[in-house]
Amino acid sequence: MRVAVIGAGVVGAAVARDLAVRGATVTVFEQRHPGDGTSGTSFAWLNSHDKHPEIYHRLNVEGCLEHARLAAGFPGGAPWYFPTGNVAWAGDPEGRATLERRVTRLDRLGYPCRWVTHDEVGRLEPDVRVPEDVERIAYFPGEGHVLPAVLLAHLLGQARECGARLLFPAVVTAVEPHQRGVDVRLDGGESHRFDRVISCAGRWTEALVATADRTVPMAEATQPGGANLGLLAYTRPLPVRLSRVLTTPRLNVRPDGGGRLVMQGLDLDAGTEADPAAVGDAAAPPADTLIQRLGEVLAGGEFATIEALRVGRRALPADGLTVAGFADGETRRFYVIATHSGITLAPLLARLAAGEVLDEQASPLLASFRPDRFRHAAGTGPVTPARRPGEQ
């Protein structure tokens, strides 16, 4: 089967890999370069920490398990995969109550979580500073993080080894499904015909799907602080010890390899603008705020220097939930994947989509996430921005 994959972020790369491994003839179209969209500005936290409703929680739980299965296929180890857990605590009474409710809910759902003491945190992460007045510290041992660029390299590398072609820059201007196949039209007028097309175009999904006269609405920022915008800070190498994700009252932080850290302060997203130039360089005011916060939670963090500030633009369907399925009804030529939590879900969605496209076997896990739910798109409301730890 000849299959086109549009988009070479982590989701598109995972899809291309699974299709190629299974023997499909795969061509990947990428408009700029691999990982240039959301994948390049992701906190990359593997979790189902605060995912609602329960069907979406279950999908993300399976996504975390799929990462473990993928990593197990590399006998020498998967250098992008760190299932080291997440340590979390709250500050004000509202935050503490929220964390208590979250742990109670997740425990009921069978999600690994437990309360730990200050001493236990010290054994897990000697450089982490938990304020003395924090009475409840939660530990989520089944969570973790990945290094997106390393994961992307391995997915695309395997896809190429199995015969996939990667074309970039290649701007797709239209997808036209019909009974004989599906045509992919490129900027400049060039056209290619395939048996199936899978869109993994991230935040460009809505415009691409519209070229096939279908609707998959995506959340877009109309003003600073939109739900799909997030500010990330990347440090230079720093001699501190941190092996896990930390979600704290004013800062989320994780390792990024080579002694670097990635930080986000969700409250700072409220002023984030879609234009990355609006942030300024690494000396912009948010950098000083984040360094101060890092020093509060990590010994030696106050000596950090920021290498880059980046505005992440999340690929966020209009109702906040994953989209996965055929968008063109009876023709079943044009398959669409669009999702927040793309890092967590990419390997799982790739395996399930490959089965639906190549085997025509519908996955029960995806039954609630089909594109046709947007036929009455007027019923979708705005997505609430994440502002407190664990909400994204």
Side-chain angles (χ1 to χ4, degrees):
M1 183 181 290
R2 297 165 302 158
V3 185
V5 177
I6 302 174
V10 168
V11 174
V15 169
R17 171 197 174 271
D18 273 57
L19 292 169
V21 164
R22 295 196 50 190
T25 301
V26 180
T27 302
V28 182
F29 296 95
E30 167 55 44
Q31 65 178 345
R32 290 187 287 201
H33 61 79
D36 190 51
T38 302
S39 296
T41 53
S42 171
F43 191 63
W45 170 21
L46 300 180
N47 76 96
S48 189
H49 190 84
D50 192 38
K51 306 297 175 69
H52 301 271
E54 190 170 330
I55 51 171
Y56 186 52
H57 167 78
R58 295 293 179 193
L59 189 70
N60 280 269
V61 167
E62 287 300 316
C64 293
L65 295 174
E66 193 72 18
H67 273 277
R69 290 189 282 265
L70 176 65
F74 290 79
W80 64 85
Y81 175 59
F82 299 88
T84 46
N86 165 34
V87 176
W89 67 87
D92 57 32
E94 181 183 354
R96 290 193 291 270
T98 297
L99 184 59
E100 293 266 4
R101 288 193 298 270
R102 188 174 297 149
V103 170
T104 299
R105 170 181 176 265
L106 291 174
D107 182 62
R108 175 180 59 80
L109 293 171
Y111 191 78
C113 57
R114 57 189 174 90
W115 298 106
V116 293
T117 65
H118 285 250
D119 287 344
E120 187 168 359
V121 173
R123 290 191 293 271
L124 292 170
E125 296 289 351
D127 284 350
V128 169
R129 295 167 164 167
V130 183
E132 292 184 3
D133 61 350
V134 170
E135 298 179 356
R136 300 281 263 170
I137 308 165
Y139 181 45
F140 303 88
E143 298 179 0
H145 65 279
V146 303
L147 304 181
V150 183
L151 172 58
L152 183 65
H154 281 264
L155 293 171
L156 287 176
Q158 280 200 316
R160 287 196 302 267
E161 288 170 0
C162 295
R165 290 195 310 152
L166 174 59
L167 302 179
F168 72 96
V171 178
V172 175
T173 58
V175 176
E176 300 172 356
H178 47 78
Q179 292 299 328
R180 298 180 303 281
V182 53
D183 295 331
V184 173
R185 300 196 182 279
L186 304 181
D187 186 24
E190 186 180 349
S191 181
H192 301 260
R193 179 163 295 179
F194 298 90
D195 299 306
R196 301 288 187 276
V197 169
I198 303 181
S199 170
C200 303
R203 64 180 186 264
W204 296 276
T205 296
E206 182 170 356
L208 181 65
V209 172
T211 68
D213 295 324
R214 297 296 185 270
T215 300
V216 175
M218 302 290 289
E220 269 298 330
T222 58
Q223 57 186 358
N228 68 328
L229 299 177
L231 178 68
L232 294 175
Y234 298 77
T235 74
R236 291 187 172 90
L238 182 66
V240 299
R241 293 169 291 180
L242 183 66
S243 62
R244 293 167 172 82
V245 175
L246 296 182
T247 50
T248 79
R250 300 202 304 154
L251 186 77
N252 296 340
V253 57
R254 67 158 175 86
D256 199 40
R260 292 175 170 83
L261 304 175
V262 180
M263 300 184 288
Q264 62 177 184
L266 294 176
D267 60 309
L268 301 180
D269 289 350
T272 300
E273 298 187 29
D275 179 8
V279 175
D281 59 24
D288 292 337
T289 300
L290 289 167
I291 290 172
Q292 177 188 344
R293 295 179 183 186
L294 183 64
E296 293 170 358
V297 302
L298 198 61
E302 62 269 29
F303 303 115
T305 54
I306 302 300
E307 189 170 66
L309 288 171
R310 301 175 191 163
V311 176
R313 296 184 63 181
R314 303 176 180 105
L316 190 61
D319 61 0
L321 301 178
T322 297
V323 173
F326 288 100
D328 56 334
E330 295 297 324
T331 310
R332 296 181 67 81
R333 300 280 189 181
F334 185 26
Y335 195 99
V336 177
I337 299 174
T339 188
H340 184 36
S341 302
I343 296 289
T344 295
L345 292 173
L348 175 66
L349 293 177
R351 177 172 63 82
L352 298 180
E356 296 198 326
V357 169
L358 299 180
D359 303 330
E360 299 184 357
Q361 293 292 321
S363 167
L365 271 175
L366 299 179
S368 298
F369 302 102
R370 301 307 189 188
D372 61 6
R373 71 179 187 265
F374 292 112
R375 282 181 296 185
H376 306 292
T380 63
V383 181
T384 302
R387 294 289 180 258
R388 300 184 68 89
E391 288 183 345
Q392 68 268 46

